[in-house]
Amino acid sequence: MSAPQRSTQHLTLIAAMACFLGAVPLSGAFQGHRWLVYCALAIGIVALLGLAGRTLGVPALLTPLIQLAGLVVFHAAAFSSNARWAVLPTPSTFRDMRSTYQHAVDIAQTTAPPVPVDTSMLMVVSLALGLVAVAVDLVTAGLRRPAIAGLALLALYAVGTSISGGVSWLGFLCAGAGFLLLLLAEGRERLAAWGRIIGRNSSDTGRNAGQSAATRIGITALAIAVIVPLAIPGFTANLLTSFAQSRGQGIGNGKGSTGSRIDPFTSLRGQLRDDGVPYNLFRFTTNVQDPFYLRTSVLGDYTGTGWKQADGDKTVGTTGTLPAPATVADRPGKGVRTATVHVTTQDYTGGQVPVFYSVQRLQADKDRGRSWKYRPELGTVAGSSLERGTTYTATSIEPVYTQAELKAAQRSASAGLDQYLSLPKLPAKVRAITTTAVAGASTPYQISLNLYNYFADGTQGFHYSLNTRDGTSGNDLLDFLNNQQGFCEQYASAMAVMLRLERIPSRVVLGYTPDGDVHGGYQVTNKDAHAWVEAYLGGVGWVSFDPTPLSADRVQAPNIPTVAPPTGTGAPNEPTPPRVTPNHRPEQQHPSGSAAGAGPPTDNSGSGPGTTLLAVCGVALVLILLALTPMTVRAVQRRRRFRIAAGPDPVRAAESAWQELLATARDHGLSALTTESPRATVGRLVQLISPEPAASSGMRLVALAAERAAYARHAGVNGDLRTALRVSRAAIVDGTPRRSRVTRALLPLSLRGGLRESVDREVGRVRATARALASIVRRPRRAPG
């Protein structure tokens, strides 16, 4: 096999490894890791076909086509039942794959990450990663430009960050390692263009030394980017992840998410906090005087540590008249009202569309609504990302309840509600607290109302705060119930779980609250993001409760969308809604910076500009310490050698003085040759820097001491070795350009060589021990007698 062929095969394997490592940052977007197995299979098929094609001498332009055909065959066999002989695709196969693709798109548009991975999602993700692998392989092995292929890995990293709100340290490390592999392959290709690469043991080690240094620099940079931010209090991501989460560009904590959308579930707190800086998301007008909250997501799967997206029965397009939820469609005789909202987006750029419950018609500018999907049972709309200045109008048919209707509600036995009753194993104390809060109520509405009052009426000591306290129970829910302090997510989560313990279906809803009518419309900011609860009452439907407390003396009816007066005066189908001034949520900040109606004072020590400044100063301090570490280590080493050079032991003094002279020369770019004697090395140094006569004499005195310590019967020289070393070192420093002295002092090159020699020495000892043990094991036994 020729050298170019071996090089091409090497690049093919490098491309496959880099592509797989680059896919790891996508882990936050999907549930589980089964998708990564299928992606590995797709990438492996691309690599194997690339190796086969290049080994057999297939023309370079045909290799990507063979790889694409292999991907199609693989996906036809894995995801279609209409493939001929279970392998070869047919027209029916492509129709199946198209339908599967459309189903995956619906899931992606209407489900917040992490997305559940079913067959359709497996096919789309593995096919997409396979196509990326073909592109990376073509650029790396076909065009022999590995560094350019790193753009594909950067795109994968950006997708992972924007979808899941951030990338874990492991994902960042894998992505960085993949890009480093491509850079190393690029360097090797460029070095190979100059001829044969000479090994490390040869006299010409410049190329390998440069490549080895680049490797170490890359690995060190990755380690610093991962470890340093994690060492700073308040930082939980690496440097690139934090950089990628700029305002309005992604989903995550802080400004990266507040400019886009509410993401289940942990990022809501970051939206509300956001360093205390509010900014506008969208503005809306409506025809109703008491608008309820605008919803974006419904969470129905409780895992014990958080909530995930609920599964709706179906999704439909948003053109024409939309189907109403079953509980709303059956209400014409019981009371509904028409609520229309007209929205103009500002800094809101997410794909989840804020609407009232039970949308009937949705019209957007520029036909943008054609790509949106509506889930009737959840009452949510999602699809292509909104842009600044997008306008849309949504008309909803909202249910209007009467007090008698709510009180008469019974438990529902519908099998379709099972997902809203499931719970993991919970501490027994959570059930005990629930029993206390329910206080003997028997009807679903009274149970819901008692749980609502338990949190919201102020008698139990619950108060709102973005800063939660640490608990000792080992369960987040129980810690919250014990500490009685938290933000809207925790109140909604706790009440929803407690409803399920009472066998009442429940779910958590995320969205935004209106903050009062201002100049004929409502302005919604990032501080208006909110979470509340919906309980299913049999014969009534989903009823909203907002258990987040406003003040210590707050006692009022549940915040259901609208409650008709006890003695209605309107027509049966259009009851007169009460005129209610919208309540300020705790998240909604007034110009003074305090929440409306706030009861107990909240602890804001963990947020605000002070914390940000402290974190920035902490990062700067750590970076400065890291930058000064090599110089400090070198200074300590130099002081030690000077001390030994002035000591009574002539052998140790000579060795230390000579080591320091060589280290100083190496720090300033004057390397010594291992084949030279000390006297020859000093002669070359004198020729290079042309020092003063006193410095030349000092260098020769140090070299003479080193030679006598190594070869003479009696070590030692006539002269002050410490003074000779000091003068020699000053001459070497003065003989180098001033502009490079700071860099050479901060990054002393001698430390790297000494570290490498120490590692090589220890590795040599281990190898010698292993060889000795192996010789003992392999030693033949002598025959007896």
Side-chain angles (χ1 to χ4, degrees):
M1 185 182 296
S2 64
Q5 195 174 47
R6 285 196 301 270
S7 175
T8 304
Q9 292 178 345
H10 176 76
L11 290 176
T12 302
L13 295 176
I14 288 291
M17 293 172 60
C19 194
F20 177 77
L21 292 172
V24 175
L26 297 174
S27 297
F30 307 104
Q31 296 179 11
H33 297 90
R34 193 168 66 136
W35 66 275
L36 198 56
V37 175
Y38 279 81
C39 291
L41 290 174
I43 295 172
I45 288 173
V46 171
L48 289 175
L49 292 176
L51 286 174
R54 290 167 184 130
T55 301
L56 297 175
V58 175
L61 293 179
L62 291 182
T63 301
L65 298 180
I66 295 174
Q67 292 170 327
L68 291 174
L71 281 178
V72 172
V73 171
F74 166 67
H75 286 85
F79 301 103
S80 176
S81 58
N82 291 323
R84 182 171 298 174
W85 301 314
V87 174
L88 297 180
T90 63
S92 299
T93 303
F94 290 106
R95 285 194 293 269
D96 290 347
M97 295 176 67
R98 180 179 179 182
S99 177
T100 304
Y101 168 79
Q102 187 59 51
H103 180 65
V105 170
D106 290 344
I107 293 177
Q109 290 182 341
T110 58
T111 304
V115 176
V117 179
D118 60 0
T119 302
S120 62
M121 194 61 65
L122 282 176
M123 187 200 78
V124 171
V125 175
S126 61
L127 181 59
L129 263 296
L131 294 176
V132 172
V134 172
V136 172
D137 180 85
L138 174 62
V139 176
T140 302
L143 303 179
R144 308 182 79 87
R145 293 292 184 270
I148 298 178
L151 294 175
L153 272 62
L154 179 62
L156 290 176
Y157 186 89
V159 170
T161 303
S162 63
I163 292 178
S164 58
V167 175
S168 66
W169 67 268
L170 179 60
F172 168 72
L173 199 60
C174 289
F179 187 56
L180 185 59
L181 280 176
L182 294 177
L183 290 182
L184 292 176
E186 176 82 7
R188 186 179 181 87
E189 284 297 302
R190 293 191 177 187
L191 289 174
W194 291 87
R196 182 176 62 88
I197 299 178
I198 301 176
R200 184 177 297 276
N201 294 327
S202 175
S203 60
D204 184 5
T205 59
R207 299 178 188 176
N208 273 334
Q211 193 173 19
S212 178
T215 303
R216 287 192 291 271
I217 292 173
I219 294 175
T220 303
L222 281 176
I224 291 176
V226 172
I227 296 173
V228 171
L230 296 179
I232 306 301
F235 280 70
T236 58
N238 54 66
L239 296 178
L240 278 185
T241 299
S242 302
F243 175 77
Q245 293 178 1
S246 58
R247 176 172 174 172
Q249 298 298 321
I251 310 157
N253 295 333
K255 291 183 180 181
S257 62
T258 51
S260 55
R261 65 185 186 188
I262 296 180
D263 225 15
F265 194 54
T266 56
S267 64
L268 179 56
R269 183 186 183 190
Q271 289 187 292
L272 302 179
R273 170 171 261 145
D274 197 25
D275 296 332
V277 179
Y279 54 89
N280 298 331
L281 294 181
F282 58 89
R283 181 177 175 83
F284 74 90
T285 58
T286 179
N287 66 318
V288 295
Q289 296 178 339
D290 58 336
F292 193 61
Y293 308 157
L294 293 163
R295 64 205 288 125
T296 56
S297 302
V298 177
L299 312 178
D301 181 12
Y302 181 66
T303 64
T305 58
W307 291 80
K308 297 181 180 179
Q309 185 85 25
D311 293 330
D313 291 341
K314 59 180 178 180
T315 61
V316 298
T318 56
T319 57
T321 301
L322 305 180
T327 55
V328 177
D330 296 339
R331 292 190 59 80
K334 298 180 181 179
V336 294
R337 72 171 183 180
T338 301
T340 301
V341 60
H342 182 75
V343 178
T344 301
T345 61
Q346 294 165 317
D347 282 342
Y348 188 95
T349 57
Q352 296 161 312
V353 183
V355 293
F356 291 142
Y357 182 56
S358 185
V359 180
Q360 293 292 287
R361 298 191 66 85
L362 184 61
Q363 296 176 323
D365 63 339
K366 303 176 184 178
D367 290 332
R368 197 180 305 276
R370 291 184 181 275
S371 62
W372 293 344
K373 297 293 182 180
Y374 175 59
R375 287 194 166 189
E377 294 305 318
L378 304 183
T380 58
V381 178
S384 59
S385 180
L386 293 168
E387 300 175 356
R388 185 179 180 88
T390 298
T391 61
Y392 62 90
T393 301
T395 302
S396 301
I397 306 298
E398 293 185 339
V400 179
Y401 308 112
T402 64
Q403 295 290 343
E405 183 182 4
L406 294 173
K407 293 179 180 179
Q410 300 298 318
R411 298 181 187 272
S412 174
S414 173
L417 299 174
D418 291 343
Q419 65 169 319
Y420 299 110
L421 289 170
S422 63
L423 285 173
K425 185 178 180 180
L426 297 172
K429 192 173 180 181
V430 174
R431 182 173 293 278
I433 295 175
T434 302
T435 302
T436 301
V438 169
S442 58
T443 65
Y445 175 67
Q446 192 60 50
I447 292 173
S448 304
L449 191 60
N450 286 2
L451 289 175
Y452 164 82
N453 288 328
Y454 179 75
F455 294 109
D457 65 7
T459 61
Q460 303 299 321
F462 285 95
H463 64 279
Y464 180 89
S465 175
L466 285 176
N467 296 284
T468 57
R469 301 170 183 169
D470 294 332
T472 59
S473 70
N475 181 272
D476 292 339
L477 174 60
L478 183 56
D479 288 340
F480 165 72
L481 294 175
N482 288 334
N483 295 332
Q484 299 182 327
Q485 174 179 310
F487 46 101
C488 57
E489 286 183 14
Q490 294 171 300
Y491 283 99
S493 177
M495 181 175 174
V497 171
M498 296 164 83
L499 283 169
R500 293 189 180 189
L501 287 173
E502 292 296 316
R503 304 304 298 167
I504 297 175
S506 63
R507 59 193 188 187
V508 175
V509 187
L510 303 182
Y512 297 91
T513 62
D515 191 13
D517 192 343
V518 180
H519 303 300
Y522 296 85
Q523 179 63 62
V524 176
T525 72
N526 55 310
K527 298 302 178 182
D528 300 322
H530 194 53
W532 64 97
V533 182
E534 285 183 344
Y536 190 89
L537 308 183
V540 176
W542 291 105
V543 179
S544 298
F545 295 85
D546 184 0
T548 305
L550 288 177
S551 61
D553 58 350
R554 172 189 178 193
V555 181
Q556 64 180 60
N559 293 89
I560 56 179
T562 179
V563 178
T567 56
T569 57
N573 289 340
E574 197 71 34
T576 303
R579 185 182 182 88
V580 180
T581 301
N583 287 317
H584 288 287
R585 302 302 318 148
E587 300 84 12
Q588 297 167 339
Q589 301 295 316
H590 290 273
S592 62
S594 61
T602 60
D603 178 16
N604 293 322
S605 61
S607 62
T611 301
T612 303
L613 180 60
L614 182 62
V616 172
C617 292
V619 172
L621 179 60
V622 170
L623 292 178
I624 292 173
L625 292 177
L626 286 174
L628 296 178
T629 296
M631 183 176 67
T632 304
V633 172
R634 181 70 181 90
V636 172
Q637 182 188 72
R638 183 166 55 249
R639 288 173 62 87
R640 176 177 173 272
R641 287 173 175 170
F642 267 89
R643 186 177 67 253
I644 297 175
D649 188 339
V651 175
R652 291 191 63 200
E655 290 177 349
S656 295
W658 181 244
Q659 290 173 357
E660 179 57 32
L661 183 63
L662 292 181
T664 302
R666 179 73 180 114
D667 289 340
H668 293 80
L670 307 173
S671 59
L673 298 179
T674 57
T675 57
E676 284 183 331
S677 66
R679 196 174 306 180
T681 299
V682 166
R684 189 162 55 88
L685 290 179
V686 169
Q687 291 179 356
L688 289 174
I689 63 176
S690 301
E692 296 293 330
S696 299
S697 299
M699 292 183 187
R700 290 187 174 94
L701 182 64
V702 173
L704 179 60
E707 288 182 346
R708 288 188 176 181
Y711 306 113
R713 178 178 297 180
H714 300 290
V717 293
N718 294 325
D720 187 349
L721 197 58
R722 179 187 176 94
T723 301
L725 177 60
R726 179 178 55 79
V727 175
S728 302
R729 184 179 183 281
I732 294 174
V733 173
D734 293 339
T736 57
R738 289 181 177 272
R739 61 185 178 183
S740 63
R741 291 180 188 177
V742 175
T743 302
R744 296 183 186 279
L746 290 175
L747 299 173
L749 299 177
S750 60
L751 286 183
R752 187 186 67 184
L755 179 61
R756 184 172 60 221
E757 291 175 1
S758 299
V759 172
D760 292 342
R761 184 167 55 251
E762 295 301 324
V763 170
R765 291 177 180 176
V766 173
R767 288 178 176 173
T769 304
R771 284 195 296 268
L773 293 175
S775 64
I776 294 175
V777 173
R778 292 196 301 265
R779 184 176 298 165
R781 296 181 180 179
R782 294 183 177 179

